[in-house]
Amino acid sequence: MLELIALAGLLVAGLAVFAVVGVVFFVMRIVFWAVFLPFRLLFLPFRLLFLPFRLLSKLLWVPIGLTMGAFSLAAGAAIVPILLVVGAVVAVLGVIAAILALIVPAIPFILLGLMIWAIVRKKPVVAS
């Protein structure tokens, strides 16, 4: 029980460290945003001037993206059956390994039982 309390304490301490680090990075992000805001406002007219070209370039990428997505979909559809077969083989091997892991330690006891059975069994009666 004490181990679980110690583990919980370590977990809380780790979360506290991550919280402090997160706050530090959050403050640095706010500082960078505040420092670079004047530059963003200064270049805003240029960004608005080139906005149609940016939108046009994004629209030109739509057919390329759709084509690449179709190729990825075809490749995924070809690989899925192979992955399913490999997964089934791994699952069967895992079941066999689990069964062997349970049976192998029992081999000495099985042999001992067979020896005792061989000693105490009754001999069959031979009809004469």
Side-chain angles (χ1 to χ4, degrees), residues 64-127:
I64 296 170
L66 288 174
T67 305
M68 297 303 284
F71 283 131
S72 299
L73 183 67
I79 290 175
V80 164
I82 297 169
L83 291 178
L84 287 175
V85 168
V86 169
V89 168
V90 167
V92 167
L93 289 177
V95 167
I96 292 171
I99 290 171
L100 283 176
L102 291 174
I103 290 176
V104 168
I107 288 176
F109 300 107
I110 293 171
L111 291 176
L112 180 65
L114 286 173
M115 285 177 22
I116 293 172
W117 174 75
I119 292 171
V120 300
R121 74 176 175 162
K122 299 205 188 255
K123 302 284 185 219
V125 178
V126 179

Side-chain angles (χ1 to χ4, degrees), residues 3-76:
E3 294 88 3
L4 290 176
I5 294 173
L7 184 63
L10 287 173
L11 179 70
V12 169
L15 289 175
V17 168
F18 279 122
V20 169
V21 171
V23 167
V24 168
F25 279 112
F26 180 66
V27 168
M28 289 187 62
R29 179 180 175 181
I30 290 175
V31 168
F32 276 120
W33 185 82
V35 166
F36 290 116
L37 179 63
F39 297 105
R40 291 184 69 177
L41 292 176
L42 178 68
F43 291 113
L44 184 62
F46 296 110
R47 291 186 71 188
L48 291 177
L49 179 68
F50 290 110
L51 182 64
F53 299 110
R54 288 175 56 194
L55 291 177
L56 182 64
S57 68
K58 288 188 188 302
L59 283 176
L60 288 176
W61 274 101
V62 169
I64 296 170
L66 288 174
T67 305
M68 297 303 284
F71 283 131
S72 299
L73 183 67

